[in-house]
Amino acid sequence: MEILIKASQFILSLSLLIVLHELGHFIPAKLFKTRVEKFYLFFDYKFSIFKKKIGETVYGIGWIPLGGYVKISGMIDESMDTEQMALPPQPWEFRSKPAWQRLIIMLGGVFVNFVLGIFIYIMLMWAYGEKYLPNENVKDGVWVENKLAENLGLQTGDKILTVDGQKVKKFSGLSLEFINGNTYQIERNGQILDKEIPEDFISQLMDRGKDAGNFLNVRYPFVIAKVQKDSLNANANILPKDIVTAINGTSITYYDEAKKELAKYKGQDISLTVKRNNETKEIPVKVSNYGNLGVVFGGTSFKDLERLGYYDLEEIEYSFSEAIPAGLNKSWKTLTDYIKQLKKIFNPSTGAYKGLGGFISIGSIFPDTWSAQSFWEITAFLSIMLGFMNLLPIPALDGGHVVFTLWEMITGRKPGDKFLEYAQVVGFILLIALLLFANGNDIFRLFK
């Protein structure tokens, strides 16, 4: 069921983005009286799931969910209709239109992607506002519990101040800041320390696996989630939501402190001080030979931590006029962060290519339960990502056509049809290779 919910959201989001992107080409083509032969969601190699001709255009749904397209008369595109291109140009064809009109038609899809992403972010800011844990409110520093964080040179209690000289605003954004960054600054025991992010940090992050969780966490209180049935303390008076405040008389605030304290009493009977609602209770417990109590801790969200008095969250509500600049800023940060990550993919020493994913990776970022906010946040991100990817100067992408058209406008010389055909073939080969690599990465990670 979880896979079905994720897949349904992915297909819905992808379909919306494809239809609107292609509409961005379709509308200016029609405005400039250019014939559009096909308007398709997904590809229709050999047959279509659905098709209907209205006027001069066939509208349809293909069976290969790898994208979509509009087939514009007189244009070298994915249809590779060389027979049409061998005939004399007709007034309704793309190739007969002035260069500036062709440029607008080609940029229409990208324009829609960017506008859609910005619009969704503005509406999200207006509808939901923002609620997050400010990094500066993590007053007792981070909790280091894995090798990756240790390899970065971090210790529990460190306060992360900046990444690449820029103050970190949201704690939840730290992972992305480290992925994009090169240096960071911390405060440790009153000292300010500058450190470097290893060049292969992304590689190390990917090697942890998709289920490894965040490499950095805030320091959590020791809140009991449940007592295991086979626990040596199954009959002790420990209840879910109890907060451990002391171990054998020694006060503790966070779970990492509790782990260290329990390690001193392996195999012994001790007392546990817990806060239960508004009461404080002393509970006799046993510590295993491994230094644990046989309980599961956690179940605490940032909202829970705020309610318990550990961290103060920031909540911002936006009027519609305030949501516009907030949405624009969010869109700009999304775009610039994505460009930074893309640059690292082309540097093999970073290992960022390991994170390149296909349909499985994109589908997996959707939650396994329906959330309108999450769905639209992911759709906005994908819209901006697709807009930028389509701008890349690769033949077979909009950006490739734009480059050739700009060359014509600057030099006054139009590339020959044969050159455009060969360029389209090269572009397809590059895109197919990228598609195979990205989805191959997905399959490798599944089996790994």
Side-chain angles (χ1 to χ4, degrees), residues 415-444:
D417 289 344
K418 278 297 177 187
F419 171 80
L420 293 176
E421 286 176 25
Y422 293 143
Q424 191 78 0
V425 170
V426 170
F428 266 125
I429 292 171
L430 287 173
L431 291 179
I432 291 169
L434 184 61
L435 195 67
L436 290 173
F437 179 77
N439 286 284
N441 260 356
D442 278 349
I443 294 168
F444 175 76

Side-chain angles (χ1 to χ4, degrees), residues 286-333:
K286 297 179 183 294
V287 182
S288 76
N289 293 330
Y290 299 101
N292 60 53
L293 300 174
V295 300
V296 178
F297 105 99
T300 45
S301 66
F302 282 164
K303 288 183 179 178
D304 294 326
L305 294 175
E306 181 182 44
R307 179 177 52 79
L308 294 169
Y310 286 87
Y311 299 109
D312 295 322
L313 303 187
E314 183 80 21
E315 187 166 10
I316 306 173
E317 293 183 357
Y318 296 100
S319 65
F320 183 71
S321 60
E322 292 169 334
I324 294 172
L328 286 168
N329 288 336
K330 176 71 173 175
S331 302
W332 178 250
K333 180 160 177 54

Side-chain angles (χ1 to χ4, degrees), residues 27-46:
I27 291 173
K30 286 290 189 180
L31 287 174
F32 296 135
K33 299 186 178 355
T34 310
R35 182 175 294 173
V36 180
E37 298 174 20
K38 285 186 174 184
F39 187 117
Y40 260 76
L41 170 64
F42 305 148
F43 291 109
D44 59 325
Y45 180 71
K46 297 295 185 183

Side-chain angles (χ1 to χ4, degrees), residues 274-396:
V274 303
K275 182 181 177 183
R276 182 178 298 166
N277 298 322
N278 294 321
E279 296 181 87
T280 299
K281 294 185 175 292
E282 295 287 333
I283 302 173
V285 295
K286 297 179 183 294
V287 182
S288 76
N289 293 330
Y290 299 101
N292 60 53
L293 300 174
V295 300
V296 178
F297 105 99
T300 45
S301 66
F302 282 164
K303 288 183 179 178
D304 294 326
L305 294 175
E306 181 182 44
R307 179 177 52 79
L308 294 169
Y310 286 87
Y311 299 109
D312 295 322
L313 303 187
E314 183 80 21
E315 187 166 10
I316 306 173
E317 293 183 357
Y318 296 100
S319 65
F320 183 71
S321 60
E322 292 169 334
I324 294 172
L328 286 168
N329 288 336
K330 176 71 173 175
S331 302
W332 178 250
K333 180 160 177 54
T334 299
L335 177 60
T336 53
D337 283 345
Y338 184 71
I339 292 172
K340 289 176 185 176
Q341 292 166 49
L342 199 63
K343 285 180 180 177
K344 293 203 172 189
I345 286 174
F346 292 105
N347 181 358
S349 59
T350 66
Y353 61 87
K354 295 180 182 179
L356 195 63
F359 299 113
I360 295 174
S361 289
I362 297 172
S364 68
I365 66 178
F366 287 92
D368 53 18
T369 57
W370 170 254
S371 164
Q373 184 177 1
S374 296
F375 173 81
W376 288 114
E377 282 177 348
I378 295 168
T379 300
F381 164 74
L382 292 176
S383 190
I384 288 174
M385 181 188 78
L386 288 172
F388 177 77
M389 289 296 291
N390 268 288
L391 263 185
L392 294 176
I394 299 173

Side-chain angles (χ1 to χ4, degrees), residues 28 30 60-61 94 113 145 306 309 327 338 354 400 407:
K30 286 290 189 180
I61 301 174
F94 178 82
N113 278 138
E145 55 168 338
E306 181 182 44
Y338 184 71
K354 295 180 182 179
W407 169 262

